[in-house]
Amino acid sequence: MALSFTVAACRPSPVLPPPARAPVVLVILDGVGLAAPGPGNAVTKAMAARPRGFLSRALGSAALQTIALDASGTCVGLDPDHDGNSEAGHNNLCNGDVVVHHQRFIRQLLADGGVDASAPLQDAMTRAKENGRPLHLIVPLADRSSAGDYRDALEIVRLALARGVPRLQLHGLCNGRSRHSCVEMAGELQTAMGERGGFASIAGVDHCFSRTGATAEVRACVGTMRAPRTGRERSLAEILAPVAANVEAQLGLPPQAVRGSTPLADSDDVILLPYRRDITVGILRTLRHRPRDDAPADNAGPIVTTLAALDSRRRYDDDPKLRLALPRGDGGGLLHRRLAAAGIRELRIAETDKAAHVTYFCDADDSADGPTYARFHPPAASRDLRAAPCLQSREAVARAVHALAKNEADFILMNLPNGDLLGHTGDLEATVQGLVCVDDLLGELAAAASDRGAWLFVTADHGNAEEMLVNGTPDRNHSKNPVPFIAVAPSGVEPVTLQRAATPPCVGRVTWTVLDALGLPFAPGRSLIVRPAP
């Protein structure tokens, strides 16, 4: 496969005058990586179904330049050789320089003793010891997820036992997309606790994680953690035995209390270990009796300590029972800061399941609507993704086309989630159909960008859909494959050359490329566009 490309654009439309600066549209194809054609490559299968489509012209023609970018491992602030993920991908796509992901940040702190020095963690353990109450931990049973890692819980367990916490109660959240089974990870944690702890509840993440906040399912998940025990509960082994070898069953495991456990009480401390804000904030707000975003803080509920910031800074400041264990420095967001300072009109587009990706993940803080910042988040139309594989991508692209035609934005950032959301289902044919839809829509968007004299950049946050079979077995996970970067120049601009390199550049360089295209200051030599010598 070629390693660099540019796509030619058409003549501008005479309907509107040329903008003062060429607008930029940046499309993030969630979960679309580059790999050789094969039986499990939904991307190349979609290209074969549309031989004259946008992706075929961009990725499959030797006459066009194509570059690959690295969206995994240390390029996006993760451990070396680690699969990419949406949070790290968007965080770095919008920052320029590498932003260390929570996963690696916490791992580094664990290695150098920084977690042991966390005052909020020490205070939680001290209160549990003085009150003679269990210390509760909400633990992601995952080892390949951007939402958390059970090995963090192992370290917290060891630290708590060393500090004399009398008893630990764990609430496990099974993530079936892991190298180890939920049963294995739970067993390792149980061994670490010995006689001084156990699991109080267990559930699949499908019931407890939500991108729409404190849903009824999330409240039921937390309700199981808090519910009085009846004596009719089953042991952890009895609950997990039927789902031990079934990934889908682990993800969908209904919340259940464990025999002999102690429920979470308002007088207890709970440490919330997941670190994906967009899918965990519902648990946090339910624990703090604040299911609505605008609900005020009060003194009801347990004291909640989180490893990562799972709500706005204001929430942590205002809530007397919400503590942040590991404050971070700069978490990224350089692109938005530069655009805001220059008065660039921004439009962020993604369906509700990916709204946080183009706002919070990219901006590293709370994004606020205003004169130069707007968003459009069409609600996810169906939970049966395979029945409607185009998802809400038509609505998303239609909004971008409208904004270009009406000159409503200078910079449009859009996430098209089909490769990721459908890739995780393991349904190869549905994923192909979803990417065929995306291919058609990219053609429409390229035409609209050309008519308006805009740049169009197309890239991805991580791989997934290009590697849905591994050794003939369905693979629903992200990949370490590189991702594409496509540049469609505005009409009237000389065809651009993109930087070639023996090793794919990191995705963070997209930020500098956007700034370059908008005519704003950027780090010298960091744009992916090679400008001709004056």
Side-chain angles (χ1 to χ4, degrees):
M1 181 171 289
L3 288 181
S4 187
F5 65 76
T6 305
V7 180
C10 305
R11 293 182 179 179
S13 166
V15 175
L16 290 174
R21 67 171 86 235
V24 171
V25 181
L26 173 59
V27 180
I28 299 174
L29 302 180
D30 210 308
V32 173
L34 296 174
N41 191 332
V43 179
T44 55
K45 287 180 179 294
M47 291 165 56
R50 289 289 189 271
R52 298 179 62 82
F54 181 90
L55 291 175
S56 290
R57 290 185 292 118
L59 300 176
S61 172
L64 301 174
Q65 297 182 68
T66 308
I67 63 170
L69 302 179
D70 190 343
S72 65
T74 55
C75 256
V76 288
L78 295 165
D79 289 337
D81 203 38
H82 199 288
D83 300 343
N85 65 62
S86 293
E87 181 178 13
H90 285 77
N91 206 196
N92 283 272
L93 277 165
C94 298
N95 191 62
D97 295 319
V98 172
V99 179
V100 176
H101 187 260
H102 295 298
Q103 201 167 53
R104 197 172 191 205
F105 174 71
I106 292 170
R107 195 82 66 248
Q108 290 172 342
L109 286 175
L110 288 167
D112 63 19
V115 170
D116 190 20
S118 165
L121 287 178
Q122 289 183 20
D123 291 345
M125 294 173 188
T126 298
R127 281 190 296 270
K129 183 178 178 181
E130 292 177 347
N131 297 336
R133 292 287 303 171
L135 177 63
H136 290 257
L137 275 63
I138 298 177
V139 178
L141 294 175
D143 62 8
R144 196 180 179 180
S145 168
S146 62
D149 196 303
Y150 85 107
R151 288 166 289 194
D152 299 335
L154 281 171
E155 294 300 325
I156 299 296
V157 164
R158 291 167 183 150
L159 179 60
L161 295 178
R163 287 186 169 274
V165 172
R167 185 165 175 78
L168 292 164
Q169 292 286 271
L170 272 56
H171 304 272
L173 306 177
C174 285
N175 186 325
R177 295 191 293 265
S178 295
R179 294 182 180 88
H180 298 88
S181 75
C182 188
V183 177
E184 292 175 303
M185 292 181 278
E188 194 171 344
L189 284 162
Q190 183 61 67
T191 298
M193 290 185 287
E195 297 297 320
R196 290 170 60 185
F199 277 81
S201 70
I202 192 82
V205 295
D206 283 355
H207 292 276
C208 302
F209 285 167
S210 171
R211 289 188 172 95
T212 54
T215 63
E217 277 198 310
V218 172
R219 294 196 298 273
C221 175
V222 174
T224 300
M225 301 176 191
R226 303 171 63 97
R229 302 316 190 228
T230 65
R232 297 190 297 273
E233 293 82 15
R234 294 185 294 166
S235 69
L236 183 67
E238 290 171 331
I239 295 171
L240 292 179
V243 302
N246 189 321
V247 169
E248 295 299 326
Q250 290 177 29
L251 288 165
L253 182 67
Q256 299 174 62
V258 177
R259 181 192 302 154
S261 63
T262 304
L264 176 65
D266 280 359
S267 57
D268 290 336
D269 271 83
V270 57
I271 300 175
L272 189 55
L273 272 69
Y275 33 72
R276 268 284 293 273
R277 167 176 169 166
D278 63 320
I279 56 179
T280 313
V281 68
I283 294 177
L284 175 63
R285 291 180 178 172
T286 302
L287 286 167
R288 293 297 306 117
H289 292 199
R290 293 164 56 191
R292 300 190 325 277
D293 181 61
D294 58 351
D298 58 34
N299 285 315
I303 297 176
V304 182
T305 302
T306 68
L307 289 193
L310 301 179
D311 212 328
S312 67
R313 294 175 185 174
R314 179 172 61 84
R315 296 293 186 190
Y316 280 87
D317 292 339
D318 292 348
D319 192 329
K321 287 191 168 184
L322 181 57
R323 317 288 166 81
L324 178 58
L326 303 172
R328 298 186 59 182
D330 180 21
L334 179 143
L335 178 60
H336 171 59
R337 292 197 299 272
R338 293 284 183 92
L339 297 180
I344 297 296
R345 298 170 300 161
E346 300 180 63
L347 173 60
R348 308 297 181 90
I349 301 174
E351 65 178 72
T352 49
D353 276 1
K354 298 289 184 176
H357 297 54
V358 297
T359 55
Y360 179 74
F361 291 170
C362 265
D363 300 341
D365 201 351
D366 296 319
S367 305
D369 295 342
T372 63
Y373 192 105
R375 356 176 183 195
F376 176 69
H377 303 311
S382 170
R383 288 299 83 202
D384 185 1
L385 304 180
R386 288 170 280 196
C390 202
L391 308 181
Q392 291 290 71
S393 295
R394 288 193 182 93
E395 289 77 2
V397 170
R399 180 67 183 91
V401 169
H402 176 84
L404 286 168
K406 299 298 183 181
N407 190 24
E408 292 178 350
D410 306 306
F411 174 65
I412 299 172
L413 173 61
M414 177 164 54
N415 176 293
L416 297 180
N418 309 62
D420 180 71
L421 293 182
L422 291 163
H424 284 317
T425 70
D427 189 324
L428 180 62
E429 181 55 32
T431 307
V432 172
Q433 292 305 311
L435 292 176
V436 166
C437 175
V438 167
D439 193 29
D440 293 341
L441 293 169
L442 288 174
E444 295 177 20
L445 187 59
S450 174
D451 287 346
R452 192 59 185 141
W455 288 90
L456 174 62
F457 298 134
V458 180
T459 187
D461 55 345
H462 57 77
N464 186 337
E466 80 290 352
E467 190 176 275
M468 294 186 65
L469 292 174
V470 175
N471 298 322
T473 301
D475 184 5
R476 299 170 173 84
N477 295 303
H478 296 169
S479 74
K480 294 184 282 288
N481 292 321
V483 300
F485 181 77
I486 306 168
V488 184
S491 300
V493 173
E494 290 294 323
V496 297
T497 301
L498 301 178
Q499 287 193 7
R500 294 177 177 269
T503 301
C506 294
V507 292
R509 291 183 61 179
V510 171
T511 282
W512 305 117
T513 309
V514 169
L515 295 173
D516 180 9
L518 287 168
L520 299 175
F522 63 95
R526 302 294 300 281
S527 171
L528 295 167
I529 298 172
V530 179
R531 298 288 188 180

Short mmCIF file of all heavy atoms in Angstrom, two decimals, residues 257-308:
data_model
loop_
_atom_site.label_atom_id
_atom_site.label_comp_id
_atom_site.label_asym_id
_atom_site.label_seq_id
_atom_site.Cartn_x
_atom_site.Cartn_y
_atom_site.Cartn_z
N ALA A 257 -25.53 -9.08 43.18
CA ALA A 257 -24.79 -9.05 44.43
C ALA A 257 -24.19 -10.42 44.69
O ALA A 257 -24.71 -11.44 44.23
CB ALA A 257 -25.71 -8.64 45.57
N VAL A 258 -23.09 -10.46 45.43
CA VAL A 258 -22.38 -11.70 45.70
C VAL A 258 -22.66 -12.15 47.14
O VAL A 258 -22.73 -11.32 48.06
CB VAL A 258 -20.86 -11.51 45.49
CG1 VAL A 258 -20.09 -12.78 45.84
CG2 VAL A 258 -20.59 -11.10 44.03
N ARG A 259 -22.83 -13.44 47.31
CA ARG A 259 -23.13 -14.01 48.63
C ARG A 259 -22.07 -13.62 49.66
O ARG A 259 -20.87 -13.65 49.39
CB ARG A 259 -23.19 -15.54 48.53
CG ARG A 259 -23.53 -16.25 49.85
CD ARG A 259 -23.27 -17.73 49.75
NE ARG A 259 -24.04 -18.32 48.65
CZ ARG A 259 -23.68 -19.42 48.00
NH1 ARG A 259 -22.55 -20.02 48.29
NH2 ARG A 259 -24.45 -19.89 47.03
N GLY A 260 -22.53 -13.24 50.85
CA GLY A 260 -21.63 -12.92 51.95
C GLY A 260 -20.98 -11.55 51.88
O GLY A 260 -20.09 -11.24 52.68
N SER A 261 -21.41 -10.72 50.95
CA SER A 261 -20.78 -9.41 50.77
C SER A 261 -21.46 -8.33 51.60
O SER A 261 -22.56 -8.53 52.14
CB SER A 261 -20.80 -9.01 49.29
OG SER A 261 -22.13 -8.88 48.83
N THR A 262 -20.81 -7.18 51.67
CA THR A 262 -21.34 -6.02 52.39
C THR A 262 -21.71 -4.94 51.38
O THR A 262 -20.86 -4.53 50.58
CB THR A 262 -20.30 -5.45 53.37
OG1 THR A 262 -19.89 -6.50 54.27
CG2 THR A 262 -20.87 -4.28 54.16
N PRO A 263 -22.97 -4.47 51.38
CA PRO A 263 -23.34 -3.44 50.39
C PRO A 263 -22.68 -2.10 50.68
O PRO A 263 -22.26 -1.83 51.81
CB PRO A 263 -24.87 -3.36 50.55
CG PRO A 263 -25.13 -3.83 51.94
CD PRO A 263 -24.09 -4.87 52.23
N LEU A 264 -22.61 -1.29 49.66
CA LEU A 264 -22.06 0.07 49.78
C LEU A 264 -23.04 0.95 50.53
O LEU A 264 -24.22 1.03 50.17
CB LEU A 264 -21.79 0.63 48.38
CG LEU A 264 -21.31 2.07 48.27
CD1 LEU A 264 -19.94 2.24 48.91
CD2 LEU A 264 -21.25 2.48 46.79
N ALA A 265 -22.58 1.63 51.58
CA ALA A 265 -23.42 2.50 52.40
C ALA A 265 -23.00 3.95 52.24
O ALA A 265 -21.88 4.25 51.80
CB ALA A 265 -23.34 2.08 53.87
N ASP A 266 -23.90 4.86 52.63
CA ASP A 266 -23.59 6.29 52.53
C ASP A 266 -22.40 6.69 53.39
O ASP A 266 -21.73 7.68 53.11
CB ASP A 266 -24.81 7.12 52.95
CG ASP A 266 -25.85 7.22 51.85
OD1 ASP A 266 -25.60 6.65 50.75
OD2 ASP A 266 -26.90 7.85 52.06
N SER A 267 -22.12 5.91 54.43
CA SER A 267 -21.01 6.24 55.32
C SER A 267 -19.67 5.70 54.83
O SER A 267 -18.64 5.91 55.47
CB SER A 267 -21.29 5.68 56.72
OG SER A 267 -21.50 4.27 56.67
N ASP A 268 -19.68 5.00 53.71
CA ASP A 268 -18.46 4.36 53.21
C ASP A 268 -17.69 5.26 52.26
O ASP A 268 -18.20 6.27 51.76
CB ASP A 268 -18.82 3.06 52.47
CG ASP A 268 -19.31 1.97 53.41
OD1 ASP A 268 -18.96 2.03 54.60
OD2 ASP A 268 -20.04 1.08 52.94
N ASP A 269 -16.46 4.85 52.00
CA ASP A 269 -15.65 5.43 50.94
C ASP A 269 -15.63 4.45 49.77
O ASP A 269 -15.57 3.23 49.96
CB ASP A 269 -14.20 5.64 51.41
CG ASP A 269 -13.99 7.00 52.04
OD1 ASP A 269 -14.29 7.13 53.25
OD2 ASP A 269 -13.54 7.91 51.34
N VAL A 270 -15.69 4.99 48.56
CA VAL A 270 -15.59 4.16 47.37
C VAL A 270 -14.58 4.80 46.43
O VAL A 270 -14.57 6.02 46.23
CB VAL A 270 -16.96 3.98 46.68
CG1 VAL A 270 -17.59 5.30 46.31
CG2 VAL A 270 -16.82 3.09 45.45
N ILE A 271 -13.69 3.96 45.89
CA ILE A 271 -12.70 4.41 44.91
C ILE A 271 -13.16 3.92 43.54
O ILE A 271 -13.34 2.72 43.33
CB ILE A 271 -11.30 3.88 45.24
CG1 ILE A 271 -10.86 4.40 46.62
CG2 ILE A 271 -10.29 4.32 44.18
CD1 ILE A 271 -9.54 3.82 47.10
N LEU A 272 -13.36 4.85 42.63
CA LEU A 272 -13.86 4.55 41.28
C LEU A 272 -12.66 4.49 40.34
O LEU A 272 -12.03 5.51 40.06
CB LEU A 272 -14.85 5.64 40.88
CG LEU A 272 -15.68 5.46 39.62
CD1 LEU A 272 -16.45 4.15 39.63
CD2 LEU A 272 -16.65 6.63 39.45
N LEU A 273 -12.34 3.28 39.87
CA LEU A 273 -11.10 3.09 39.12
C LEU A 273 -11.20 3.30 37.61
O LEU A 273 -10.18 3.56 36.98
CB LEU A 273 -10.54 1.70 39.40
CG LEU A 273 -9.60 1.61 40.62
CD1 LEU A 273 -10.36 1.81 41.91
CD2 LEU A 273 -8.86 0.30 40.65
N PRO A 274 -12.36 3.14 36.95
CA PRO A 274 -12.38 3.42 35.50
C PRO A 274 -11.98 4.86 35.21
O PRO A 274 -12.22 5.76 36.01
CB PRO A 274 -13.84 3.16 35.11
CG PRO A 274 -14.37 2.26 36.18
CD PRO A 274 -13.67 2.68 37.43
N TYR A 275 -11.38 5.09 34.01
CA TYR A 275 -10.97 6.46 33.70
C TYR A 275 -11.43 6.94 32.33
O TYR A 275 -10.81 7.80 31.73
CB TYR A 275 -9.46 6.65 33.83
CG TYR A 275 -8.57 5.48 33.50
CD1 TYR A 275 -8.37 5.05 32.19
CD2 TYR A 275 -7.90 4.81 34.52
CE1 TYR A 275 -7.53 4.00 31.91
CE2 TYR A 275 -7.06 3.75 34.25
CZ TYR A 275 -6.87 3.34 32.95
OH TYR A 275 -6.03 2.29 32.68
N ARG A 276 -12.55 6.43 31.84
CA ARG A 276 -13.18 7.00 30.64
C ARG A 276 -14.36 7.84 31.08
O ARG A 276 -15.41 7.32 31.44
CB ARG A 276 -13.66 5.89 29.71
CG ARG A 276 -12.67 5.46 28.66
CD ARG A 276 -12.54 6.42 27.51
NE ARG A 276 -13.72 6.52 26.69
CZ ARG A 276 -13.98 5.73 25.66
NH1 ARG A 276 -13.15 4.78 25.32
NH2 ARG A 276 -15.07 5.89 24.95
N ARG A 277 -14.21 9.15 31.06
CA ARG A 277 -15.25 10.05 31.56
C ARG A 277 -16.57 9.86 30.83
O ARG A 277 -17.65 9.84 31.44
CB ARG A 277 -14.78 11.49 31.42
CG ARG A 277 -15.90 12.51 31.62
CD ARG A 277 -15.38 13.92 31.56
NE ARG A 277 -16.48 14.87 31.50
CZ ARG A 277 -16.35 16.17 31.71
NH1 ARG A 277 -15.18 16.66 32.01
NH2 ARG A 277 -17.38 16.98 31.61
N ASP A 278 -16.54 9.72 29.50
CA ASP A 278 -17.78 9.73 28.73
C ASP A 278 -18.69 8.56 29.08
O ASP A 278 -19.92 8.68 29.00
CB ASP A 278 -17.48 9.75 27.23
CG ASP A 278 -16.74 8.51 26.74
OD1 ASP A 278 -15.84 8.05 27.47
OD2 ASP A 278 -17.05 8.02 25.65
N ILE A 279 -18.13 7.41 29.47
CA ILE A 279 -18.97 6.26 29.76
C ILE A 279 -19.10 5.96 31.25
O ILE A 279 -19.89 5.09 31.64
CB ILE A 279 -18.46 4.99 29.02
CG1 ILE A 279 -17.00 4.71 29.38
CG2 ILE A 279 -18.64 5.14 27.52
CD1 ILE A 279 -16.43 3.47 28.70
N THR A 280 -18.34 6.67 32.08
CA THR A 280 -18.35 6.40 33.53
C THR A 280 -19.05 7.48 34.33
O THR A 280 -19.40 7.27 35.49
CB THR A 280 -16.90 6.23 34.04
OG1 THR A 280 -16.17 5.36 33.17
CG2 THR A 280 -16.87 5.64 35.44
N VAL A 281 -19.29 8.63 33.73
CA VAL A 281 -19.86 9.75 34.50
C VAL A 281 -21.24 9.39 35.05
O VAL A 281 -21.64 9.89 36.11
CB VAL A 281 -19.91 11.03 33.63
CG1 VAL A 281 -20.91 10.89 32.50
CG2 VAL A 281 -20.22 12.25 34.48
N GLY A 282 -21.98 8.50 34.39
CA GLY A 282 -23.29 8.10 34.90
C GLY A 282 -23.18 7.39 36.24
O GLY A 282 -23.99 7.61 37.15
N ILE A 283 -22.17 6.51 36.38
CA ILE A 283 -21.94 5.83 37.66
C ILE A 283 -21.60 6.86 38.73
O ILE A 283 -22.13 6.82 39.85
CB ILE A 283 -20.80 4.80 37.53
CG1 ILE A 283 -21.19 3.67 36.60
CG2 ILE A 283 -20.41 4.25 38.90
CD1 ILE A 283 -20.08 2.65 36.37
N LEU A 284 -20.71 7.79 38.39
CA LEU A 284 -20.29 8.80 39.36
C LEU A 284 -21.47 9.63 39.84
O LEU A 284 -21.66 9.83 41.06
CB LEU A 284 -19.23 9.70 38.71
CG LEU A 284 -18.76 10.89 39.56
CD1 LEU A 284 -18.07 10.40 40.82
CD2 LEU A 284 -17.82 11.78 38.74
N ARG A 285 -22.29 10.10 38.92
CA ARG A 285 -23.40 10.97 39.33
C ARG A 285 -24.48 10.21 40.08
O ARG A 285 -25.14 10.77 40.96
CB ARG A 285 -23.96 11.68 38.10
CG ARG A 285 -22.96 12.70 37.54
CD ARG A 285 -23.47 13.41 36.31
NE ARG A 285 -22.50 14.41 35.86
CZ ARG A 285 -22.60 15.09 34.73
NH1 ARG A 285 -23.65 14.90 33.94
NH2 ARG A 285 -21.68 15.97 34.39
N THR A 286 -24.65 8.93 39.77
CA THR A 286 -25.61 8.13 40.53
C THR A 286 -25.11 7.90 41.95
O THR A 286 -25.88 8.00 42.92
CB THR A 286 -25.85 6.78 39.83
OG1 THR A 286 -26.32 7.02 38.50
CG2 THR A 286 -26.88 5.95 40.58
N LEU A 287 -23.83 7.61 42.10
CA LEU A 287 -23.26 7.45 43.43
C LEU A 287 -23.42 8.72 44.27
O LEU A 287 -23.66 8.66 45.48
CB LEU A 287 -21.77 7.10 43.33
CG LEU A 287 -21.42 5.68 42.89
CD1 LEU A 287 -19.94 5.60 42.54
CD2 LEU A 287 -21.76 4.68 43.99
N ARG A 288 -23.30 9.86 43.60
CA ARG A 288 -23.37 11.14 44.31
C ARG A 288 -24.79 11.71 44.31
O ARG A 288 -24.98 12.89 44.56
CB ARG A 288 -22.40 12.14 43.67
CG ARG A 288 -20.93 11.76 43.86
CD ARG A 288 -20.49 11.74 45.34
NE ARG A 288 -20.80 12.99 45.97
CZ ARG A 288 -21.66 13.12 46.98
NH1 ARG A 288 -22.29 12.07 47.48
NH2 ARG A 288 -21.90 14.30 47.50
N HIS A 289 -25.80 10.86 43.99
CA HIS A 289 -27.21 11.27 44.02
C HIS A 289 -27.47 12.46 43.11
O HIS A 289 -28.27 13.34 43.42
CB HIS A 289 -27.63 11.63 45.45
CG HIS A 289 -27.66 10.45 46.36
ND1 HIS A 289 -28.34 10.43 47.54
CD2 HIS A 289 -27.08 9.23 46.28
CE1 HIS A 289 -28.18 9.27 48.14
NE2 HIS A 289 -27.41 8.53 47.39
N ARG A 290 -26.79 12.48 41.94
CA ARG A 290 -26.95 13.59 41.01
C ARG A 290 -27.12 13.04 39.60
O ARG A 290 -26.24 13.16 38.76
CB ARG A 290 -25.73 14.50 41.06
CG ARG A 290 -25.56 15.24 42.38
CD ARG A 290 -24.16 15.79 42.53
NE ARG A 290 -23.81 16.66 41.43
CZ ARG A 290 -22.57 17.09 41.23
NH1 ARG A 290 -21.60 16.71 42.00
NH2 ARG A 290 -22.32 17.90 40.23
N PRO A 291 -28.26 12.41 39.32
CA PRO A 291 -28.44 11.81 38.01
C PRO A 291 -28.46 12.82 36.87
O PRO A 291 -28.12 12.50 35.75
CB PRO A 291 -29.77 11.07 38.12
CG PRO A 291 -30.49 11.75 39.26
CD PRO A 291 -29.42 12.18 40.20
N ARG A 292 -28.89 14.06 37.17
CA ARG A 292 -28.93 15.08 36.12
C ARG A 292 -27.65 15.89 36.13
O ARG A 292 -27.01 16.09 37.17
CB ARG A 292 -30.12 16.03 36.34
CG ARG A 292 -31.46 15.38 36.35
CD ARG A 292 -32.57 16.45 36.31
NE ARG A 292 -32.25 17.65 37.05
CZ ARG A 292 -32.41 17.78 38.37
NH1 ARG A 292 -32.86 16.77 39.10
NH2 ARG A 292 -32.13 18.93 38.97
N ASP A 293 -27.32 16.40 34.95
CA ASP A 293 -26.10 17.20 34.84
C ASP A 293 -26.17 18.46 35.68
O ASP A 293 -25.17 18.94 36.19
CB ASP A 293 -25.89 17.58 33.36
CG ASP A 293 -24.63 18.39 33.16
OD1 ASP A 293 -23.55 17.86 33.46
OD2 ASP A 293 -24.73 19.55 32.71
N ASP A 294 -27.39 19.02 35.85
CA ASP A 294 -27.52 20.28 36.58
C ASP A 294 -27.91 20.09 38.04
O ASP A 294 -28.22 21.05 38.73
CB ASP A 294 -28.55 21.19 35.90
CG ASP A 294 -29.93 20.52 35.81
OD1 ASP A 294 -30.03 19.31 36.11
OD2 ASP A 294 -30.89 21.21 35.41
N ALA A 295 -27.90 18.83 38.52
CA ALA A 295 -28.29 18.59 39.91
C ALA A 295 -27.23 19.16 40.85
O ALA A 295 -26.03 19.02 40.61
CB ALA A 295 -28.46 17.10 40.15
N PRO A 296 -27.64 19.81 41.95
CA PRO A 296 -26.66 20.40 42.86
C PRO A 296 -25.97 19.34 43.71
O PRO A 296 -26.47 18.24 43.91
CB PRO A 296 -27.53 21.31 43.74
CG PRO A 296 -28.88 20.65 43.74
CD PRO A 296 -29.02 20.07 42.36
N ALA A 297 -24.81 19.68 44.22
CA ALA A 297 -24.09 18.79 45.13
C ALA A 297 -24.79 18.79 46.49
O ALA A 297 -25.38 19.79 46.90
CB ALA A 297 -22.65 19.25 45.28
N ASP A 298 -24.72 17.66 47.19
CA ASP A 298 -25.24 17.61 48.56
C ASP A 298 -24.36 16.65 49.35
O ASP A 298 -23.38 16.10 48.86
CB ASP A 298 -26.71 17.19 48.58
CG ASP A 298 -26.95 15.83 47.94
OD1 ASP A 298 -26.05 14.95 48.06
OD2 ASP A 298 -28.00 15.63 47.33
N ASN A 299 -24.73 16.44 50.61
CA ASN A 299 -23.91 15.61 51.48
C ASN A 299 -24.38 14.16 51.53
O ASN A 299 -23.87 13.37 52.31
CB ASN A 299 -23.90 16.19 52.90
CG ASN A 299 -23.01 17.43 52.98
OD1 ASN A 299 -21.90 17.42 52.45
ND2 ASN A 299 -23.50 18.48 53.61
N ALA A 300 -25.38 13.80 50.73
CA ALA A 300 -25.84 12.42 50.71
C ALA A 300 -24.87 11.55 49.91
O ALA A 300 -24.13 12.04 49.07
CB ALA A 300 -27.23 12.34 50.10
N GLY A 301 -24.91 10.25 50.18
CA GLY A 301 -24.10 9.32 49.41
C GLY A 301 -22.70 9.17 49.97
O GLY A 301 -22.24 9.93 50.82
N PRO A 302 -21.98 8.16 49.48
CA PRO A 302 -20.61 7.90 49.95
C PRO A 302 -19.62 8.94 49.44
O PRO A 302 -19.91 9.68 48.49
CB PRO A 302 -20.32 6.52 49.38
CG PRO A 302 -21.13 6.46 48.13
CD PRO A 302 -22.40 7.21 48.44
N ILE A 303 -18.46 8.96 50.06
CA ILE A 303 -17.36 9.77 49.54
C ILE A 303 -16.75 9.01 48.36
O ILE A 303 -16.39 7.84 48.48
CB ILE A 303 -16.30 10.03 50.61
CG1 ILE A 303 -16.89 10.84 51.77
CG2 ILE A 303 -15.10 10.76 50.01
CD1 ILE A 303 -15.94 11.05 52.92
N VAL A 304 -16.68 9.65 47.21
CA VAL A 304 -16.19 9.01 45.99
C VAL A 304 -14.84 9.61 45.61
O VAL A 304 -14.72 10.83 45.43
CB VAL A 304 -17.18 9.19 44.82
CG1 VAL A 304 -16.67 8.46 43.58
CG2 VAL A 304 -18.56 8.67 45.20
N THR A 305 -13.84 8.77 45.49
CA THR A 305 -12.51 9.18 45.03
C THR A 305 -12.27 8.55 43.67
O THR A 305 -12.42 7.33 43.51
CB THR A 305 -11.42 8.74 46.02
OG1 THR A 305 -11.68 9.31 47.30
CG2 THR A 305 -10.05 9.21 45.55
N THR A 306 -11.94 9.35 42.68
CA THR A 306 -11.70 8.84 41.32
C THR A 306 -10.22 8.95 40.98
O THR A 306 -9.54 9.90 41.40
CB THR A 306 -12.54 9.60 40.28
OG1 THR A 306 -12.07 10.95 40.18
CG2 THR A 306 -14.01 9.62 40.68
N LEU A 307 -9.72 7.99 40.20
CA LEU A 307 -8.33 8.06 39.76
C LEU A 307 -8.14 9.14 38.71
O LEU A 307 -7.11 9.81 38.66
CB LEU A 307 -7.87 6.72 39.18
CG LEU A 307 -7.67 5.55 40.15
CD1 LEU A 307 -6.94 4.42 39.45
CD2 LEU A 307 -6.91 5.96 41.40
N ALA A 308 -9.14 9.30 37.84
CA ALA A 308 -9.07 10.30 36.78
C ALA A 308 -10.27 11.24 36.91
O ALA A 308 -11.26 10.91 37.57
CB ALA A 308 -9.08 9.63 35.42
#
